Amino acid sequence: MTRLLLATRNTKKLDELRRILTSAGIDELTVVGLADVEPFEESVEAAATFSDNALIKARDAARASGLASVADDSGLAVDALGGMPGVLSARWAGRHGDDEANLRLVLDQLSDVPDERRTAAFVCAAALVRPDGSETVVLGRWHGTLTREPRGTNGFGYDPIFVPDGDTRTSAELEPSEKDEVSHRGQALRALVTHLRELASA
Amino acid sequence: MTRLLLATRNTKKLDELRRILTSAGIDELTVVGLADVEPFEESVEAAATFSDNALIKARDAARASGLASVADDSGLAVDALGGMPGVLSARWAGRHGDDEANLRLVLDQLSDVPDERRTAAFVCAAALVRPDGSETVVLGRWHGTLTREPRGTNGFGYDPIFVPDGDTRTSAELEPSEKDEVSHRGQALRALVTHLRELASA
C-alpha cells in the first residue's frame, strides 16, 4: 500500500477523498491526513490564485512527509466583485473564518446589483505533488447565482447564498451527498483520479 | 455664454472644473451644478463600470436640463482584489459613504498580501453628453501602492492608504492643489478639455 497525504485536518475531506478513490476502484492508496504525519511548519496561504495556494500547501506537505501529497484551495468568485472574494473568501469581512460576516458583506456589497448580474462560481483547485517533485493542478468550477438572503443550514461558507445553475435551492439546502456529486471540490478531486490511478500503479 | 451642467452638488468639484476651463483659456462656458437646475429623478448608480455610471449620470442630467452635461464616477481598483472595490468603492464595507470602515476593510482583506502585490490605481471616468445626444467618455488613472495603516488628513475616501507612484506620502498627505494636478479626476477632466473647447466654439 502506498500512503497518500491529503493536507488537511478535516476528517470529512479525508472521507470524501477515500470514497472517491473507492468508487474509482483505486485500492492501492491509503489516504492519511496531517494528523497522521509528523507536524511541520505550514506556509501562510497568501498567493494570488487558488492554484498557487493549493500547490504551496501540497509542496509543504510532500517536502515534510516524503509522501505524494494532495491539497486543495477553494472559494467563491463573484462576477460583480471582479472574481472576488476569491482567494480571500475565508477572510472577506476582515477576520478569518467568520462565515456569517463574510456572506452578509457580499450581500451588502451587491445590494444595488440587479439579478441578471448576480452570477458567481465556486472554484476549487486541487494540487498533487509527487515524491519526485512532479506536480499536477486541476480546477473544478460550480456555476450559479447569488440570492438576496441566506437560505439553508447544510454546508458552510457561502453555501446559504449560492443557487447552482439548474436548481432553485441554495447549496446549503442540498443534501451533502448531492453537493459532493456536483460541487467544485467534487469536480476537482474527480479530475485528479486519473493522475492518482497512475500514481497507484507506479 | 453656454451653460455646462456638472452633475454634482459638490462645490469643490464645480470650482475644480471652473479652474481647469479657465487655465485652458475656455471662457465661453459657464459651469453650473445640480443645485442650479430644476430637480429631476436621478438613477441609482449600479452599473458594472465607472464609464457606464458616469454616462448614466450625464445622460440623466442632459435629458432633464437640456444642457450639455458632464458627470464623473471614480473609485479605487486594487489588483489583489481583482480590481475592486471599483464601482463599489463608496459602499465597500456595506453602507454607503463610511470612509473609515471602507479603508479599514481593504487593509484587513489585504493583511496577508505582501508589499509587492499591494498595487492599486484610482480610476475616474468623466462623461460628456451633448444636447444632440452625442457622448464622450474619458478615463484618468492614478497608479500607486497601498500602505498598511492610514496616514494623512487631506482628501477623502481611500486617500489615507494610497501612495502615488513616485512619492512616499499618501494622497491624504498631499496638498489639495498637488493632488488636483496629478489625480485620476484631474487627468480625466483635463482629457475632456479638448471636447469642451469644441463645444464652446460650436
Side-chain angles (χ1 to χ4, degrees), chain A residues 44-49 80-84 87-88 91-95 105 107-114 117, chain B residues 44-49 80-84 87-88 91-95 105 107-114 117:
Chain A
V44 176
E45 284 171 51
T49 63
L81 296 176
M84 303 308 288
V87 293
L88 302 179
R91 59 165 312 131
W92 191 236
R95 289 184 305 149
L105 179 58
L107 291 180
D108 287 347
Q109 289 170 326
L110 299 187
S111 61
D112 286 338
V113 173
R117 282 180 36 226
Chain B
V44 176
E45 283 172 50
T49 63
L81 296 176
M84 303 308 290
V87 292
L88 302 179
R91 59 167 309 133
W92 190 236
R95 288 183 306 148
L105 178 58
L107 291 180
D108 288 347
Q109 288 171 326
L110 299 187
S111 60
D112 285 339
V113 173
R117 280 180 38 227

Side-chain angles (χ1 to χ4, degrees), chain A residues 64-79:
Chain A
S65 68
L67 301 175
S69 298
V70 170
D72 73 295
D73 190 51
S74 59
L76 181 68
V78 178
D79 293 318

Side-chain angles (χ1 to χ4, degrees), chain B residues 49-129:
Chain B
T49 63
F50 297 116
S51 296
D52 282 352
N53 278 329
L55 268 173
I56 289 167
K57 274 190 280 190
R59 284 175 191 154
D60 279 357
R63 193 180 302 119
S65 68
L67 300 174
S69 299
V70 170
D72 71 295
D73 189 52
S74 58
L76 182 68
V78 178
D79 293 317
L81 296 176
M84 303 308 290
V87 292
L88 302 179
S89 288
R91 59 167 309 133
W92 190 236
R95 288 183 306 148
H96 195 90
D98 188 340
D99 286 1
E100 172 63 26
N102 288 337
L103 71 80
R104 177 53 54 192
L105 178 58
V106 168
L107 291 180
D108 288 347
Q109 288 171 326
L110 299 187
S111 60
D112 285 339
V113 173
D115 288 349
E116 66 271 20
R117 280 180 38 227
R118 299 175 77 85
T119 49
F122 274 121
V123 181
C124 178
L128 166 65
V129 175

Side-chain angles (χ1 to χ4, degrees), chain A residues 84-178:
Chain A
M84 303 308 288
V87 293
L88 302 179
S89 288
R91 59 165 312 131
W92 191 236
R95 289 184 305 149
H96 194 90
D98 188 340
D99 286 0
E100 172 64 23
N102 289 336
L103 71 81
R104 176 53 56 190
L105 179 58
V106 167
L107 291 180
D108 287 347
Q109 289 170 326
L110 299 187
S111 61
D112 286 338
V113 173
D115 288 350
E116 66 272 19
R117 282 180 36 226
R118 299 177 75 85
T119 50
F122 273 122
V123 181
C124 178
L128 166 64
V129 175
R130 302 174 188 79
D132 67 4
S134 68
E135 300 176 340
T136 302
V137 188
V138 294
L139 283 170
R141 283 195 186 81
W142 195 22
H143 295 275
T145 56
L146 300 184
T147 62
R148 294 192 176 267
E149 286 299 328
R151 299 199 313 261
T153 54
N154 295 330
F156 62 97
Y158 300 90
D159 280 330
I161 62 171
F162 180 82
V163 176
D165 287 349
D167 211 310
T168 56
R169 298 167 294 175
T170 68
S171 50
E173 294 173 318
L174 300 182
E175 294 302 320
S177 58
E178 281 182 290

